[in-house]
Structures are given as structure tokens and as C-alpha cells.
Amino acid sequence: MEGRLTTDQPSIDPTTLVQSICRAQELLLTPTDCQSAYDTLLNSILSLTHSPMGFIGSVSHDAMDGSFIKLMALSDEPRCPQGAALFKRIQRKGMIFRRLDNLLGAAISERQVVISQNLANDTRIRGFPKGHPSLSTYMGIPVFSGESVIGLIGLANRPEGYTQELAEELKPLSQAAGMLIDRHRLKIEKARNERRVERARNYDALTCLPSGPMLTKRLMREVHEADRTGCSLSVCIIDVDGFKRINDRFGDEVLKTIALRLKNAIRPRDLVAKLRGDEFLVTLRDANAGPSAYRRLLSAIAEPIAGPSTTLALSASMGVTVYPLDQSDPDILLRHASLALYRAKESGAGQFVTFDIDDHEARREQRRILESIDKGFKRSQFELFYQPRINFRTGAVDGFEGLIRWNHPEHGLLLPGDFLEATESTKYESVLGNFVIRTALTALRQFEADDQHYTISINISPHHFLADDFIPALQAHLRGVSTQLRRRLVLEVLESTAIEDVSTATHTVEACQAMGVTVSLDDFGTGFSSLTYFRDLPVDEIKIDKSFVMGMLENPGDRAIVESIVSLSKRFNRRVVAEGIETKALAQALRKLNCDFGQGYYFGAPLPLEEALVWAGEFSNRR
């Protein structure tokens, strides 16, 4: 610190200082924008100290260049032609001082107030930009956050000079500057995190292609453009053949290479996006579509990938549907392209199949089933059968899964597989779903009246669960239902529900839980499994798909999957249910793995309610 003046110097007026401190506190407590807060705080400090010039800067660090100062607030332009031009540029574009081996950097490196009363003879006055106005006196006050220097207050040209005592009087305001810089940094970091999260939601991290909500948005835009121009739109889903075989060693590189090849194989206005796993979406407009274009895409992928130690020979299969020949919504277009992809896979590697939208027989059959369902509801032909669920810890019947049945007047008792597929993406998904909810609640009320504490699990389709009216309808169903009874209602949603719309699925799960209803993730492990669901989807329960359970005693891979799901469920505090238990050996193996609940034909088949209750009573007596 360079010499002090020996004459008495005016101190800060106490009343004005108190007013400035109060104003600074108001700045920190009100949601004003940061720039206005910086400017107001600097003006207060300049006014208190009678300093013609000054600034507030934020101190940051980077790995390449070390520490630097970014000006956050700057005094009004000085009365100097060159200085005025410089300061206007700074105020317009901002300024960063990277050279700190000078008077500016001294307060930062020394971590204390630095005062210079005679800058004309101060050797540290260097490294300032060309055109900087002349300075006579200067005081640099480091701004702290904890033990770290995070900012700098610079004051200059006070006729009376500066003192350490003056810096002490300004300490409350320098602390306010520190809190303001901290708040500003938190705001910036929050915005960056939000951008990162938004990008992660909308773009695939590996290929940088649109995915998730952005994929949906872009596809909708393509469909709207096709409507506007009267063009056709080929919606293509491409899947790498035999990807599991190469995934462990080369999966990431293969996916990045394919993404680049697809982008190079289409026009800029066409769309390439990333679906799940090793699936890509490509849309081709009119003139660029057709069989030759589809083959060109597959040929681009099939080019060998040469590596340092091996060359990969690739092939891919493709499913295509063409809008508006396929008059469907974007999500249904994807589903139809997926169905065509499955058929292409069945045809052999490197093939493409176009969805047969002219399959009128299938459509007529669907309409016939839906009309019959409508009549069946009016004639009360639907009911729930109840399959018991066993608590492995107690060995008792914990509850039942309610499974819909149709007492068809011509075809007898129909299982869900006989009619549910026809209801997909129609209003009857909600009709059936609401019927199941109402029926389950009626059974729960009966249990409560009979002092029975069973739970009832019911299946809710993805379309119904993600619908805008699902939560209001559920609230209406639950009106008048006690909190205790609500806890015994378990809504089972398919794992694929989250893939369709992660954000909506999460909000709907949370809304159900807020109403006291339990939510279970059904058929877990079938194609879309991700640790993301364990972490982010707040379900109460994980239900392992029966395909893994039934094969776990013979297939080490299935057993490993079951063990992993049980272990992860425990770590994430989720209950875990195994379905498809057909033998005593399976039940014993799952019990040893600390699985919570089990159901399957080994315990009991689905039965009408009264028969299921009789069975449960007899089961309890046998224990």
C-alpha cells in the first residue's frame, strides 16, 4: 500500500452512509435486475467518497489465462475525448482486464486494500487500454466471499486522496458488492444449468441429434409443412442390425458415425433425429422420398467403418410410413413406422418395409371391436378378475391385481389380449381405464367394510395415463374416498409410458401420489429400461416383467437382470414385485433375493371378486 496523505481528510457523512447501506440491503432483498443493482451500488459509493471515477468488477478464473476482471458497473464517461470514446465502448460491449500485473491486480493478489496517492509516479500504472483517461489518485478494495476474492471496487481521482479509514467505512458496501456478485453468479449458473437440462431433454448427448420433446416438435413441424405444401412426407425409422453384438466395444462410435452419414445423405431441410437405443428417425419430403432414397440411406450406413485394429461391416433395417397416405398424428406415424421396422427386421438384415396403410381388413376389424366394446359397456358385460399378490416377507396375501375381462355374448369370456389392442389411441382406452378405477374402488370399499386390508393394483394404459383429463378424472373418482383407502389403490403404468413423455409422466405420477394413490412401474426391463427412471421417475414400486422372472432359473442373463432390478429398487427405496411366478422354485429364488411381492399362477389364477376372497381366506388358513 503506497503512502497516505498526512493532512486531515473529510470522512463519509454517517447519515449518508447509513442511507447507502439501507439502499444496498434493499437491492439484495428485491428481485431487481443485476445490472441496475450494480449501477446503483457504484453510484452510492462514488457519491459517498466524492470520486469522479470508479468501477465494480467481478474476479473470475480460467484454466488457460488465470485470473481476470470483468467490469460489472462503470462510472459515467469522464471529461476526456479519448476516455469518453473508450468508456462508451466498454459500457456498450463490456470489458475484461486480463493483465493483472499492475495496480488493478494488486488488491486481488495482495488480498487487501491498495491505495496510490500519486499515480503519476506509480510504476504499477501499466497495462491499461489505449485512450484510458488520466488518473491522479486510486484505491482498490478487494471484494470477498468467504476467504475468496471474487470482486474488486476501484475508485479514482478523489481530490483529497484515499485512506485505509475510508476503505473501512465502505466495508458494508463492499460486503454488499460481494453478495451481489455471488447472486449474479448463482443466477448465471442457474441459467446455464437450465440450458444444459433443456438441451439434454431435447438433444441426444452422443450424436447431438434432436430427441425427446424436440424430436416431437420437429416431426409435428414436418407434418404441418406437408399439409401446407400438399407434399408427401416419408417417416423412416432406422435400426442397426446386430447392434447388441458390437455395442460394448464400438457402440458409441458406430452411432456417431451413422448420425453423421445420415445427415450427409439428406438435404438440409429434411430431418434426422435420435430415437431410443440404436434407432434413428429420418423424414424425407416429397422429391427426396421413395424406394431409391430409402436404399440410399441404408447404403450410406452400410459403408464399412475402418478402425485401428478392425473394420466393422454394418447394415441397418428401416420401417417407413408415408404421410398423408397414412392419415395419422405424428405419434401414430412413429408407431406405424416402428411396426414396419419390425417387419423389416423379420425379412432379414438391410431391408426396408413400408407400412401398409391400405390394410382395410384390419381397420374394419378394429372398428367392429370398438363398436362391440361400446355395446358391451352399455350392457354391463365387463368385470374385473382378481389375481392374488403375496407378500414374501409374511407369506400372506397382500392384495390383488384387478384384470379386466369381457363376458362376450358370442365369444364367451375374453381376455385383455383379445380386445385391448383395438382400443389403443382411442377414447376407449380412457373408457376402459375409468371403468377399472371405479370397479377397483368399489372393491376396496367392500374390503374396508369387511375389515380387510388388501390392496388392488390396476393397469392404466400410456395414452390414458398421459391424457390431459386423467388427473381431473381420478380426482373425481377419489372424491369421498378416505386417505387410508387411497393408499391401497395401486396404478400400474407401463415402463414405455415414461419414454413417450418423461415430463408429463413424472408430473402425473407426482399428482397421483399427492392424492394418496400408489404408482407402480409395470413390465420393467422390456426394451426401454434406464437408470434414469430409478432416479427421476418417482414411482413407489417396480414390477419386473414376467419374461425375465419365468426364465431366471434357466437363463443366467434373466437372473442377472432380476437381481439387478431388485438391488436397484432397494437402493432407490422402491418396492419390487415379480410377476409370472409359475413354480415353487421360482417363488423360493425370489424370496432369497429379497423381492417384496410376487404373483403368478403358482399362487393363484385371476378369479371373480367373491371367489378370489374365498381363495385368499383359504390360503391364509393353510399357512
Side-chain angles (χ1 to χ4, degrees), residues 104-117:
L104 286 184
I108 299 170
S109 60
E110 296 175 16
R111 299 170 59 83
Q112 63 181 356
V113 175
V114 170
I115 297 173
S116 182
Q117 307 289 24

Side-chain angles (χ1 to χ4, degrees), residues 215-279:
L215 180 151
T216 302
K217 181 179 179 180
R218 294 283 301 274
L219 180 56
M220 290 180 65
R221 190 172 73 183
E222 291 298 303
V223 171
H224 292 158
E225 182 66 14
D227 287 335
R228 187 185 69 82
T229 60
C231 297
S232 65
L233 181 72
S234 294
V235 178
C236 315
I237 294 182
I238 301 170
D239 179 86
V240 183
D241 296 323
F243 185 71
K244 289 182 180 179
R245 174 177 51 83
I246 60 175
N247 185 32
D248 289 343
R249 292 186 59 193
F250 309 108
D252 288 356
E253 285 304 314
V254 167
L255 294 177
K256 287 191 287 187
T257 299
I258 290 175
L260 180 61
R261 289 178 177 181
L262 289 175
K263 285 193 288 187
N264 291 336
I266 64 170
R267 297 170 301 180
R269 66 180 184 178
D270 291 322
L271 170 65
V272 178
K274 185 68 167 57
L275 287 169
R276 52 199 167 266
D278 58 325
E279 290 186 359

Side-chain angles (χ1 to χ4, degrees), residues 50-357:
H50 305 290
S51 297
M53 296 172 58
F55 66 86
I56 296 176
S58 172
V59 177
S60 299
H61 311 272
D62 61 36
M64 295 293 292
D65 300 318
S67 299
F68 61 91
I69 299 172
K70 180 178 181 181
L71 294 192
M72 310 307 297
L74 188 65
S75 57
D76 291 338
E77 65 183 59
R79 293 171 183 172
C80 163
Q82 289 181 321
L86 171 68
F87 273 50
K88 282 182 179 179
R89 188 173 79 248
I90 293 173
Q91 290 171 322
R92 185 174 65 253
K93 298 183 178 180
M95 171 162 278
I96 291 176
F97 288 94
R98 292 195 177 274
R99 183 174 179 182
L100 299 182
D101 59 338
N102 53 23
L103 192 59
L104 286 184
I108 299 170
S109 60
E110 296 175 16
R111 299 170 59 83
Q112 63 181 356
V113 175
V114 170
I115 297 173
S116 182
Q117 307 289 24
N118 184 4
L119 287 177
N121 298 321
D122 195 321
T123 59
R124 295 172 296 179
I125 186 73
R126 59 178 179 270
F128 285 75
K130 184 178 180 180
H132 195 282
S134 61
L135 303 176
S136 57
T137 60
Y138 171 80
M139 178 167 66
I141 304 173
V143 176
F144 288 86
S145 176
E147 296 297 319
S148 302
V149 178
I150 63 168
L152 178 66
I153 298 173
L155 302 173
N157 292 357
R158 184 175 187 252
E160 304 88 347
Y162 297 98
T163 66
Q164 182 69 36
E165 289 77 9
L166 186 65
E168 286 296 321
E169 291 185 82
L170 291 174
K171 194 169 185 178
L173 296 179
S174 68
Q175 291 172 340
M179 288 186 279
L180 185 59
I181 292 171
D182 269 337
R183 188 174 75 178
H184 191 192
R185 288 180 173 181
L186 287 173
K187 183 178 179 181
I188 292 172
E189 186 60 29
K190 181 182 177 182
R192 286 174 179 167
N193 287 336
E194 288 174 350
R195 288 195 295 270
R196 282 194 290 264
V197 169
E198 188 66 16
R199 180 165 183 82
R201 288 181 67 244
N202 288 289
Y203 292 90
D204 177 63
L206 182 65
T207 63
C208 300
L209 294 176
S211 65
M214 181 58 67
L215 180 151
T216 302
K217 181 179 179 180
R218 294 283 301 274
L219 180 56
M220 290 180 65
R221 190 172 73 183
E222 291 298 303
V223 171
H224 292 158
E225 182 66 14
D227 287 335
R228 187 185 69 82
T229 60
C231 297
S232 65
L233 181 72
S234 294
V235 178
C236 315
I237 294 182
I238 301 170
D239 179 86
V240 183
D241 296 323
F243 185 71
K244 289 182 180 179
R245 174 177 51 83
I246 60 175
N247 185 32
D248 289 343
R249 292 186 59 193
F250 309 108
D252 288 356
E253 285 304 314
V254 167
L255 294 177
K256 287 191 287 187
T257 299
I258 290 175
L260 180 61
R261 289 178 177 181
L262 289 175
K263 285 193 288 187
N264 291 336
I266 64 170
R267 297 170 301 180
R269 66 180 184 178
D270 291 322
L271 170 65
V272 178
K274 185 68 167 57
L275 287 169
R276 52 199 167 266
D278 58 325
E279 290 186 359
F280 293 83
L281 169 69
V282 176
T283 63
L284 303 172
R285 298 184 190 178
D286 224 27
N288 201 33
S292 61
Y294 308 151
R295 293 190 188 95
R296 185 176 68 250
L297 291 176
L298 295 180
S299 296
I301 294 174
E303 288 292 326
I305 299 179
S309 60
T310 186
T311 298
L312 290 177
L314 299 178
S315 69
S317 301
M318 181 192 298
V320 182
T321 191
V322 181
Y323 181 88
L325 294 176
D326 185 352
Q327 287 272 1
S328 300
D329 294 332
D331 58 333
I332 305 302
L333 291 173
L334 290 177
R335 186 174 300 179
H336 288 173
S338 291
L339 291 173
L341 172 63
Y342 297 146
R343 290 198 293 272
K345 287 282 192 183
E346 293 172 353
S347 302
Q351 303 297 314
F352 73 86
V353 169
T354 302
F355 184 75
D356 186 4
I357 200 65

Side-chain angles (χ1 to χ4, degrees), residues 389 401 455-461 465 487 489-498 505 508-509 512-513 517-524 537-545 569 574-579 597 599:
R389 185 166 94 164
E401 180 176 4
T455 63
I456 295 182
S457 302
I458 54 175
N459 296 286
I460 304 296
S461 73
F465 189 74
R487 292 195 189 100
L489 179 66
V490 181
L491 303 184
E492 294 187 1
V493 295
L494 292 174
E495 179 192 350
S496 57
T497 304
T508 306
V509 168
C512 291
Q513 292 169 329
V517 175
T518 300
V519 183
S520 176
L521 196 60
D522 193 15
D523 287 356
F524 193 83
L537 197 62
V539 295
D540 305 283
E541 182 179 278
I542 301 294
K543 196 168 187 180
I544 308 172
D545 184 69
S569 297
R574 310 283 199 266
R575 297 183 319 209
V576 60
V577 183
E579 60 180 345
F597 304 98
Q599 71 180 74

